[in-house]
């Protein structure tokens, strides 16, 4: 497919978060610190889980994959934002914009599916403990992780194709710091009402559906814990509390952003910072602070 046949626009201009130089430097420092925390925190979790045989349960297997996804997810936007804030270069090629859009939704939707799988893992461990090892066997875990990536790819390719079929012949200024479907579609030289509804149905309903499944699973876990107040169940509930924090940080701003057509409400680029940067940064802190096993394994790794 030749992109040039569909568009006379060869590049887009990303306005970023601010035009003030002092604020740009402040945002550069904040993004740099956040990106460094994402890389170091999630890499530390991956190394800890991979090197400690005591962290071989399905929960930590899935946590390791979540950390890898968080690194990929933040790396889609953060490096380019840092370069733009430091150099002032805000242009992005059309092909680069489409690639960023594709990988953002590919990795982002894969993370949503993986968080849903992690909720299913906790539900199985608490509500069906006798069948847990059979249901969450290593082969089943690999199959579930693969299904998350496949689902993310299907979602993303649909979103990208919906954007590529639009003509772009006029304005090329994107009121955001990265390429996403909603601000890009608003620049199309055509009636995009149907496309906007299709995108809202795709991204919005996927995020809302995953969120409702997560809420339902944690509600069932809470009911089970209240009926059996044992130490092991309270420990599992503590683990679920960290999952709920991750879910809230990711899903609430995503649902707010995508579960509506592009023109109904103005997009808020500061809301996007929550699920593109802040949520992946908080994941390592939440999981390590709420898990004594991970903290003990990190301490043993440090002593070695």
């Amino acid at each position: 497919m030749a992109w040039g046949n569909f568009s006379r626009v060869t590049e887009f201009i990303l306005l970023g978060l601010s035009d003030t130089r002092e604020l740009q430097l402040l945002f550069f420092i904040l993004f740099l610190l956040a990106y460094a925390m994402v890389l170091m925190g999630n890499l530390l979790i991956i190394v800890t889980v991979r090197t400690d045989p005591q962290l071989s349960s399905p929960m930590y297997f899935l946590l390791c994959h979540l950390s890898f996804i968080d690194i990929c997810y933040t790396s889609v936007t953060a490096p380019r934002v840092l370069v733009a804030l430091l150099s002032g270069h805000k242009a992005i090629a059309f092909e680069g914009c489409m690639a960023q859009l594709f990988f953002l939704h590919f990795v982002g939707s894969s993370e949503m599916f993986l968080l849903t799988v992690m909720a299913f893992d906790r539900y199985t461990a608490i509500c069906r403990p006798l069948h847990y090892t059979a249901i969450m066997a290593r082969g089943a875990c690999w199959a579930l992780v693969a299904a998350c990536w496949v689902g993310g790819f299907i979602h993303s390719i649909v979103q990208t194709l919906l954007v590529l079929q639009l003509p772009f012949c006029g304005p090329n200024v994107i009121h955001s710091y990265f390429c996403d479907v909603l601000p890009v579609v608003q620049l199309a030289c055509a009636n995009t009402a149907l496309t906007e509804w299709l995108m809202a149905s795709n991204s919005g309903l996927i995020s809302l559906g995953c969120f409702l499944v997560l809420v339902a699973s944690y509600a069932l876990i809470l009911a089970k814990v209240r009926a059996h107040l044992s130490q092991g169940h309270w420990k599992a509930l503590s683990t679920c509390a960290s999952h709920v924090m991750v879910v809230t940080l990711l899903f609430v701003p995503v649902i707010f952003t995508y579960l509506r057509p592009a023109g109904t409400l103005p997009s808020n680029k500061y809301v996007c910072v929550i699920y593109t940067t802040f949520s992946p940064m908080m994941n390592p802190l939440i999981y390590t602070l709420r898990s004594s096993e991970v903290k003990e394994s990190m301490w043993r790794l440090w002593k070695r």
Side-chain angles (χ1 to χ4, degrees):
M1 178 182 296
W3 283 330
N5 295 336
F6 294 86
S7 172
R8 292 198 299 269
V9 172
T10 59
E11 65 178 16
F12 292 104
I13 305 298
L14 298 171
L15 289 185
L17 294 169
S18 175
D19 292 330
T20 306
R21 187 57 184 170
E22 290 75 12
L23 286 178
Q24 289 178 353
L25 293 175
L26 175 62
F27 285 133
F28 173 81
I29 295 172
L30 294 177
F31 268 86
L32 182 62
L33 292 175
Y35 188 47
M37 291 180 64
V38 169
L39 293 180
M40 292 187 295
N42 285 291
L43 283 174
L44 180 59
I45 290 178
I46 293 173
V47 172
T48 302
V49 173
R50 297 286 293 178
T51 56
D52 194 339
Q54 297 184 25
L55 301 180
S56 59
S57 66
M59 180 180 72
Y60 296 113
F61 172 83
L62 297 174
L63 175 60
C64 185
H65 284 274
L66 178 64
S67 296
F68 174 72
I69 286 180
D70 278 335
I71 292 174
C72 297
Y73 186 47
T74 311
S75 298
V76 174
T77 58
R80 186 169 192 88
V81 173
L82 292 172
V83 172
L85 289 172
L86 191 62
S87 66
H89 182 69
K90 299 182 178 181
I92 181 173
F94 184 87
E95 293 84 353
C97 184
M98 295 299 105
Q100 187 179 63
L101 185 152
F102 171 80
F103 284 108
L104 180 75
H105 282 264
F106 177 31
V107 183
S109 56
S110 298
E111 178 169 1
M112 291 184 186
F113 294 138
L114 184 61
L115 288 171
T116 307
V117 170
M118 294 177 72
F120 173 74
D121 169 73
R122 291 298 84 204
Y123 166 80
T124 306
I126 297 173
C127 299
R128 303 189 63 184
L130 298 178
H131 302 88
Y132 178 68
T133 55
I135 296 175
M136 297 301 295
R138 183 51 63 98
C141 290
W142 276 110
L144 289 171
V145 171
C148 292
W149 285 106
V150 172
F153 177 81
I154 294 173
H155 159 75
S156 184
I157 198 67
V158 170
Q159 294 286 88
T160 307
L161 291 176
L162 285 173
V163 176
L164 285 176
Q165 55 86 31
L166 295 173
F168 294 93
C169 55
N172 66 337
V173 177
I174 297 177
H175 295 271
S176 183
Y177 61 94
F178 65 96
C179 289
D180 200 2
V181 290
L182 295 179
V184 171
V185 165
Q186 291 177 324
L187 301 179
C189 304
N191 186 350
T192 60
L194 178 60
T195 303
E196 291 175 16
W197 279 107
L198 290 174
M199 289 179 172
S201 301
N202 189 1
S203 296
L205 291 181
I206 285 177
S207 56
L208 180 61
C210 290
F211 180 70
L212 293 178
V213 170
L214 287 162
V215 170
S217 64
Y218 290 129
L220 292 173
I221 290 172
L222 179 61
K224 181 71 174 181
V225 170
R226 292 184 63 184
H228 302 82
L229 300 180
S230 65
Q231 182 180 358
H233 282 92
W234 279 115
K235 179 181 177 181
L237 182 61
S238 177
T239 303
C240 291
S242 64
H243 294 191
V244 172
M245 295 174 68
V246 173
V247 166
T248 303
L249 286 172
L250 177 64
F251 280 90
V252 171
V254 167
I255 292 173
F256 170 79
T257 301
Y258 292 106
L259 194 60
R260 58 183 174 84
T264 55
L265 289 172
S267 59
N268 192 328
K269 51 191 174 184
Y270 297 104
V271 173
C272 300
V273 176
I274 299 176
Y275 62 84
T276 58
T277 305
F278 187 71
S279 178
M281 180 187 68
M282 293 300 297
N283 283 356
L285 297 176
I286 290 172
Y287 282 107
T288 53
L289 293 177
R290 301 290 299 184
S291 175
S292 59
E293 291 89 348
V294 175
K295 287 187 290 186
E296 292 171 1
S297 296
M298 288 181 177
W299 177 243
R300 288 195 296 269
L301 180 64
W302 173 258
K303 289 193 295 184
R304 290 204 302 267

